[in-house]
Amino acid sequence: MAIRSTILQKPSRLVYGLKRLRTYATSTSSVNATEISHFNSLASTWWDPYGSSRLLHLMNPLRHDFISSCHALKPHSTPQNNLRYLDIGCGGGIFAESAARLPGTANVTAIDPSVDVIEVAKLHARKDPLLQVPGRLEYLNKSIEDLNIPQEPKDQYDVVSLFEVIEHITTPAPFLKSCLPFVKPGGWLVLSTIARTWISWLTTKVVAEDIAGLVPRGTHDWSKYINESELRTFFASQKGWGVNGGAKTTGCIYIPGVGWRMVTGGEQFGNYLFGIRRDPET
């Protein structure tokens, strides 16, 4: 009866995500104290490949494959060398560390508003001498609103990443607008998130959290999920983004015992990766 009652309450929320994405709030920070508290509680197990962040560890290779496929899009394919990354909401550094190790990486700046999680990231990075090379990987305990907005392309980034972040933001439109100035012309903003559908509610809330325990309870709020069409609508309203095929989406699904796999069309019902290019200067 409890599950049926919950299901009956869901349809009224189907329009909520688009309203959130269209809301330009006056708040100067995207930081949510409740979300920070939740992720602080997970900090100590962030680098346990069988712990609370297991699914993030398994997903990480797909993130790199997706970024490479974005850079390969024509007519403005991007050489994958000397790249500068800004990883927003980096958590314990799973993606940031792996990006910093790539031969084509110049430097990675990784930010997160959680003190506890950033300390975990810094401690783990000390185990790798490459990551101690000055300028290779820098962790900052900041939100995007705390960073100085770049005034010149040389201070912007080739890749700005938001992996498993936007579904934890209360007002995503102002947050996204805060991220856009950090992408250089021809650079990419890439993110992963979850579509707000019946299937995602069943798989991420009921199965992953309540039944299988793949992620801790309370990790996700279904009403904060954002559909791929809503992201495209948002970026269509932003001048200078995604022309000439400069946008890409792919779904991804977790298969127990196998891992994450990219699935064409999967963005319509569950987890997906989304990338959009800032228009190159002409």
Side-chain angles (χ1 to χ4, degrees), residues 191-243:
L191 61 86
S192 57
T193 190
I194 311 171
R196 193 179 60 264
T197 65
W198 292 107
I199 294 176
S200 69
W201 175 76
L202 179 65
T203 56
T204 65
K205 293 297 296 180
V206 178
V207 176
E209 291 190 18
D210 298 336
I211 297 177
L214 294 173
V215 295
R217 286 188 177 183
T219 295
H220 298 113
D221 180 343
W222 182 86
S223 70
K224 290 183 177 181
Y225 293 1
I226 294 178
N227 294 331
E228 188 258 2
S229 61
E230 293 165 352
L231 283 173
R232 287 187 179 267
T233 297
F234 171 81
F235 279 102
S237 70
Q238 308 301 307
K239 184 179 179 180
W241 289 85
V243 300

Coordinates of all heavy atoms in Angstrom, one line a residue, residues 191-243:
L191 N 28.0 16.8 -18.7 CA 27.4 16.4 -17.4 C 26.7 15.0 -17.5 O 26.5 14.5 -18.6 CB 26.4 17.5 -17.0 CG 25.2 17.7 -17.9 CD1 24.0 16.8 -17.6 CD2 24.7 19.2 -17.7
S192 N 26.5 14.5 -16.4 CA 25.7 13.2 -16.3 C 24.6 13.5 -15.3 O 24.8 14.2 -14.3 CB 26.5 12.0 -15.9 OG 27.2 12.2 -14.7
T193 N 23.4 13.0 -15.6 CA 22.3 13.1 -14.6 C 21.3 12.1 -14.9 O 21.6 11.0 -15.6 CB 21.7 14.6 -14.7 OG1 20.8 14.8 -13.7 CG2 21.1 14.8 -16.1
I194 N 20.0 12.3 -14.5 CA 19.0 11.2 -14.6 C 17.7 11.8 -15.1 O 17.3 12.9 -14.6 CB 18.8 10.5 -13.2 CG1 20.1 10.1 -12.6 CG2 17.8 9.3 -13.4 CD1 20.0 9.7 -11.1
A195 N 17.1 11.2 -16.0 CA 15.8 11.6 -16.5 C 14.7 11.4 -15.5 O 14.8 10.4 -14.7 CB 15.4 10.9 -17.8
R196 N 13.7 12.2 -15.4 CA 12.7 12.2 -14.4 C 11.5 11.4 -15.0 O 10.6 12.0 -15.6 CB 12.2 13.6 -14.1 CG 11.4 13.7 -12.8 CD 11.0 15.1 -12.5 NE 10.3 15.8 -13.6 CZ 10.9 16.5 -14.5 NH1 12.2 16.7 -14.5 NH2 10.2 17.1 -15.5
T197 N 11.5 10.1 -14.9 CA 10.5 9.2 -15.5 C 10.1 8.2 -14.4 O 10.7 8.0 -13.4 CB 11.1 8.5 -16.7 OG1 12.1 7.6 -16.3 CG2 11.6 9.5 -17.7
W198 N 9.0 7.4 -14.8 CA 8.6 6.3 -13.9 C 9.7 5.3 -13.8 O 9.9 4.8 -12.7 CB 7.4 5.6 -14.6 CG 6.1 6.5 -14.6 CD1 5.6 7.0 -15.7 CD2 5.3 6.8 -13.5 NE1 4.4 7.7 -15.3 CE2 4.2 7.6 -13.9 CE3 5.3 6.5 -12.1 CZ2 3.2 8.1 -13.1 CZ3 4.3 6.9 -11.3 CH2 3.3 7.7 -11.8
I199 N 10.4 5.0 -14.9 CA 11.5 4.0 -14.8 C 12.6 4.4 -13.9 O 13.1 3.6 -13.1 CB 12.0 3.7 -16.2 CG1 10.9 3.0 -17.0 CG2 13.2 2.8 -16.1 CD1 11.3 2.8 -18.5
S200 N 13.0 5.7 -14.0 CA 14.1 6.2 -13.1 C 13.7 6.2 -11.7 O 14.5 5.9 -10.8 CB 14.6 7.5 -13.6 OG 13.6 8.5 -13.3
W201 N 12.5 6.5 -11.4 CA 12.0 6.5 -10.0 C 12.1 5.0 -9.5 O 12.6 4.8 -8.3 CB 10.6 7.0 -9.9 CG 10.0 6.9 -8.5 CD1 10.3 7.6 -7.4 CD2 9.1 5.9 -8.1 NE1 9.6 7.2 -6.3 CE2 8.8 6.1 -6.7 CE3 8.4 4.8 -8.7 CZ2 8.0 5.3 -5.9 CZ3 7.6 4.0 -7.9 CH2 7.3 4.2 -6.6
L202 N 11.6 4.1 -10.3 CA 11.7 2.7 -9.9 C 13.1 2.2 -9.7 O 13.4 1.5 -8.7 CB 10.9 1.8 -10.9 CG 10.9 0.3 -10.6 CD1 10.1 0.1 -9.3 CD2 10.3 -0.4 -11.8
T203 N 14.0 2.5 -10.6 CA 15.3 1.9 -10.6 C 16.2 2.6 -9.6 O 17.0 2.0 -8.9 CB 16.0 2.0 -12.0 OG1 16.0 3.3 -12.5 CG2 15.2 1.1 -13.0
T204 N 16.2 4.0 -9.5 CA 17.1 4.7 -8.7 C 16.6 4.9 -7.2 O 17.5 4.9 -6.3 CB 17.4 6.1 -9.2 OG1 16.2 6.9 -9.2 CG2 18.0 6.0 -10.7
K205 N 15.3 4.9 -7.0 CA 14.8 5.1 -5.7 C 14.4 3.7 -5.1 O 14.9 3.4 -4.0 CB 13.6 6.0 -5.7 CG 13.9 7.5 -6.1 CD 14.9 8.1 -5.1 CE 14.2 8.3 -3.7 NZ 15.2 8.9 -2.7
V206 N 13.5 3.0 -5.7 CA 13.0 1.8 -5.1 C 14.1 0.7 -5.1 O 14.4 0.1 -4.1 CB 11.7 1.3 -5.9 CG1 11.2 0.0 -5.3 CG2 10.7 2.4 -5.8
V207 N 14.7 0.4 -6.3 CA 15.6 -0.7 -6.4 C 17.0 -0.3 -5.9 O 17.5 -1.0 -5.0 CB 15.7 -1.1 -7.9 CG1 16.8 -2.2 -8.0 CG2 14.4 -1.6 -8.4
A208 N 17.6 0.8 -6.4 CA 19.0 1.1 -6.0 C 19.1 1.5 -4.5 O 20.1 1.1 -3.9 CB 19.5 2.2 -6.9
E209 N 18.1 2.3 -4.0 CA 18.3 2.7 -2.6 C 17.6 1.8 -1.6 O 18.1 1.4 -0.6 CB 17.7 4.1 -2.5 CG 18.5 5.2 -3.2 CD 18.1 6.6 -2.9 OE1 17.4 6.8 -1.9 OE2 18.4 7.6 -3.6
D210 N 16.3 1.4 -1.9 CA 15.5 0.7 -0.9 C 15.7 -0.8 -0.9 O 15.6 -1.4 0.1 CB 14.0 1.1 -1.1 CG 13.7 2.6 -1.0 OD1 14.5 3.2 -0.2 OD2 12.7 3.0 -1.5
I211 N 15.9 -1.4 -2.1 CA 15.9 -2.8 -2.2 C 17.4 -3.4 -2.2 O 17.8 -4.1 -1.4 CB 15.1 -3.3 -3.4 CG1 13.6 -3.0 -3.2 CG2 15.3 -4.9 -3.5 CD1 12.8 -3.4 -4.4
A212 N 18.1 -2.9 -3.2 CA 19.4 -3.5 -3.5 C 20.5 -2.8 -2.6 O 21.6 -3.3 -2.4 CB 19.8 -3.4 -4.9
G213 N 20.3 -1.6 -2.2 CA 21.3 -0.8 -1.4 C 22.5 -0.5 -2.2 O 23.6 -0.4 -1.6
L214 N 22.3 -0.3 -3.5 CA 23.5 0.1 -4.3 C 24.0 1.5 -4.0 O 25.2 1.7 -4.2 CB 23.1 0.0 -5.8 CG 22.8 -1.4 -6.4 CD1 22.3 -1.3 -7.8 CD2 24.0 -2.3 -6.3
V215 N 23.1 2.3 -3.6 CA 23.5 3.7 -3.1 C 22.8 3.9 -1.8 O 21.7 3.4 -1.6 CB 23.2 4.8 -4.1 CG1 24.0 4.6 -5.4 CG2 21.7 4.8 -4.5
P216 N 23.3 4.8 -0.9 CA 22.7 5.0 0.4 C 21.3 5.7 0.2 O 21.1 6.5 -0.7 CB 23.6 6.0 1.1 CG 24.9 5.7 0.5 CD 24.6 5.4 -1.0
R217 N 20.4 5.4 1.1 CA 19.1 6.0 1.1 C 19.2 7.5 1.2 O 20.0 8.0 2.0 CB 18.2 5.4 2.2 CG 17.7 4.0 1.9 CD 16.7 3.5 2.9 NE 16.2 2.2 2.6 CZ 15.2 1.6 3.3 NH1 14.7 2.2 4.3 NH2 14.8 0.4 2.9
G218 N 18.4 8.2 0.5 CA 18.4 9.7 0.6 C 19.4 10.3 -0.4 O 19.5 11.5 -0.5
T219 N 20.1 9.5 -1.2 CA 21.1 10.1 -2.2 C 20.3 10.9 -3.2 O 20.8 11.9 -3.7 CB 21.9 9.0 -2.8 OG1 22.7 8.3 -1.8 CG2 22.8 9.5 -3.9
H220 N 19.2 10.4 -3.7 CA 18.5 11.0 -4.8 C 17.1 11.6 -4.4 O 16.5 11.0 -3.5 CB 18.3 10.0 -5.9 CG 19.5 9.5 -6.5 ND1 19.9 8.2 -6.4 CD2 20.5 10.2 -7.2 CE1 21.1 8.0 -7.0 NE2 21.5 9.2 -7.5
D221 N 16.7 12.7 -5.0 CA 15.4 13.2 -4.9 C 14.8 13.2 -6.3 O 15.2 14.0 -7.2 CB 15.5 14.7 -4.4 CG 14.2 15.4 -4.2 OD1 13.2 14.9 -4.8 OD2 14.1 16.4 -3.5
W222 N 13.9 12.4 -6.5 CA 13.3 12.2 -7.9 C 12.8 13.5 -8.5 O 12.9 13.7 -9.7 CB 12.2 11.1 -7.8 CG 11.6 10.8 -9.1 CD1 12.0 9.8 -10.0 CD2 10.4 11.3 -9.7 NE1 11.2 9.8 -11.1 CE2 10.2 10.7 -10.9 CE3 9.5 12.3 -9.2 CZ2 9.1 11.0 -11.7 CZ3 8.4 12.6 -10.0 CH2 8.2 12.0 -11.3
S223 N 12.3 14.3 -7.7 CA 11.7 15.6 -8.2 C 12.7 16.5 -8.7 O 12.4 17.4 -9.5 CB 10.9 16.3 -7.1 OG 11.7 16.8 -6.1
K224 N 14.0 16.3 -8.4 CA 15.1 17.1 -8.9 C 15.7 16.6 -10.2 O 16.6 17.2 -10.8 CB 16.2 17.3 -7.9 CG 15.8 18.1 -6.7 CD 17.0 18.2 -5.7 CE 16.6 19.1 -4.5 NZ 17.8 19.3 -3.6
Y225 N 15.3 15.4 -10.6 CA 15.8 14.9 -11.9 C 15.4 15.8 -13.1 O 14.4 16.5 -13.0 CB 15.3 13.5 -12.2 CG 15.8 12.4 -11.2 CD1 16.6 12.7 -10.1 CD2 15.3 11.1 -11.3 CE1 17.0 11.7 -9.3 CE2 15.8 10.1 -10.5 CZ 16.6 10.4 -9.4 OH 17.0 9.4 -8.6
I226 N 16.3 15.8 -14.1 CA 16.0 16.7 -15.2 C 16.1 15.9 -16.5 O 17.0 15.2 -16.8 CB 17.1 17.8 -15.2 CG1 16.9 18.7 -14.0 CG2 17.0 18.6 -16.5 CD1 17.9 19.8 -13.9
N227 N 15.1 16.1 -17.3 CA 15.0 15.4 -18.6 C 15.9 16.1 -19.6 O 16.2 17.3 -19.6 CB 13.5 15.4 -19.1 CG 12.6 14.6 -18.2 OD1 13.1 13.6 -17.6 ND2 11.4 15.0 -18.2
E228 N 16.4 15.2 -20.6 CA 17.3 15.7 -21.6 C 16.7 16.8 -22.4 O 17.3 17.8 -22.8 CB 17.7 14.6 -22.5 CG 18.8 14.9 -23.5 CD 18.2 15.1 -24.9 OE1 17.0 15.0 -25.0 OE2 19.1 15.3 -25.8
S229 N 15.4 16.7 -22.7 CA 14.7 17.8 -23.5 C 14.7 19.1 -22.7 O 14.7 20.2 -23.4 CB 13.2 17.3 -23.8 OG 12.5 17.1 -22.6
E230 N 14.6 19.1 -21.4 CA 14.7 20.3 -20.6 C 16.0 21.0 -20.7 O 16.1 22.2 -20.8 CB 14.3 20.0 -19.2 CG 12.8 19.5 -19.0 CD 12.5 18.8 -17.7 OE1 13.4 18.6 -16.9 OE2 11.3 18.6 -17.5
L231 N 17.1 20.2 -20.7 CA 18.4 20.7 -20.9 C 18.5 21.4 -22.3 O 19.1 22.5 -22.4 CB 19.5 19.7 -20.7 CG 19.8 19.2 -19.3 CD1 20.7 18.0 -19.3 CD2 20.4 20.4 -18.5
R232 N 18.0 20.7 -23.3 CA 18.1 21.3 -24.6 C 17.3 22.6 -24.7 O 17.8 23.5 -25.4 CB 17.7 20.3 -25.7 CG 18.7 19.1 -25.9 CD 18.2 18.2 -27.0 NE 19.2 17.2 -27.2 CZ 20.3 17.2 -28.0 NH1 20.4 18.3 -28.8 NH2 21.1 16.2 -28.2
T233 N 16.2 22.6 -24.1 CA 15.4 23.9 -24.1 C 16.1 25.0 -23.4 O 16.1 26.1 -23.8 CB 14.0 23.6 -23.3 OG1 13.3 22.6 -24.1 CG2 13.2 24.9 -23.3
F234 N 16.8 24.7 -22.3 CA 17.5 25.7 -21.5 C 18.7 26.2 -22.4 O 18.8 27.4 -22.6 CB 18.1 25.1 -20.3 CG 19.1 26.0 -19.6 CD1 18.7 27.0 -18.8 CD2 20.5 25.8 -19.8 CE1 19.6 27.9 -18.2 CE2 21.4 26.7 -19.2 CZ 20.9 27.7 -18.4
F235 N 19.4 25.3 -23.0 CA 20.6 25.8 -23.8 C 20.2 26.5 -25.1 O 20.9 27.3 -25.6 CB 21.6 24.7 -24.1 CG 22.4 24.4 -22.9 CD1 22.2 23.3 -22.1 CD2 23.5 25.2 -22.6 CE1 23.0 23.0 -21.0 CE2 24.3 24.9 -21.5 CZ 24.1 23.9 -20.7
A236 N 19.0 26.2 -25.6 CA 18.5 26.9 -26.8 C 18.2 28.3 -26.5 O 18.2 29.2 -27.4 CB 17.2 26.2 -27.3
S237 N 18.0 28.6 -25.2 CA 17.8 30.0 -24.8 C 19.0 30.8 -24.5 O 19.0 32.0 -24.2 CB 16.8 30.0 -23.6 OG 17.5 29.6 -22.4
Q238 N 20.2 30.1 -24.5 CA 21.5 30.7 -24.2 C 22.2 31.0 -25.5 O 22.5 30.1 -26.3 CB 22.3 29.8 -23.3 CG 21.6 29.3 -22.1 CD 21.2 30.4 -21.2 OE1 21.9 31.3 -20.8 NE2 19.9 30.4 -20.8
K239 N 22.5 32.2 -25.8 CA 23.2 32.6 -27.0 C 24.6 32.0 -27.1 O 25.3 32.2 -26.1 CB 23.2 34.1 -27.2 CG 23.8 34.6 -28.5 CD 23.8 36.1 -28.6 CE 24.4 36.6 -29.9 NZ 24.3 38.1 -30.0
G240 N 25.0 31.4 -28.2 CA 26.3 31.0 -28.4 C 26.6 29.6 -27.9 O 27.8 29.3 -27.6
W241 N 25.6 28.7 -28.0 CA 25.9 27.3 -27.5 C 25.2 26.3 -28.5 O 24.1 26.5 -28.9 CB 25.3 27.1 -26.1 CG 26.1 27.8 -25.1 CD1 26.0 29.1 -24.7 CD2 27.1 27.3 -24.3 NE1 26.9 29.4 -23.7 CE2 27.6 28.3 -23.4 CE3 27.7 26.0 -24.2 CZ2 28.7 28.1 -22.6 CZ3 28.8 25.8 -23.4 CH2 29.2 26.8 -22.5
G242 N 26.0 25.3 -28.9 CA 25.5 24.1 -29.5 C 25.2 24.3 -31.0 O 24.4 23.4 -31.6
V243 N 25.7 25.2 -31.7 CA 25.4 25.3 -33.2 C 26.2 24.3 -33.9 O 27.2 23.7 -33.4 CB 25.8 26.7 -33.7 CG1 25.0 27.8 -33.0 CG2 27.3 27.0 -33.6

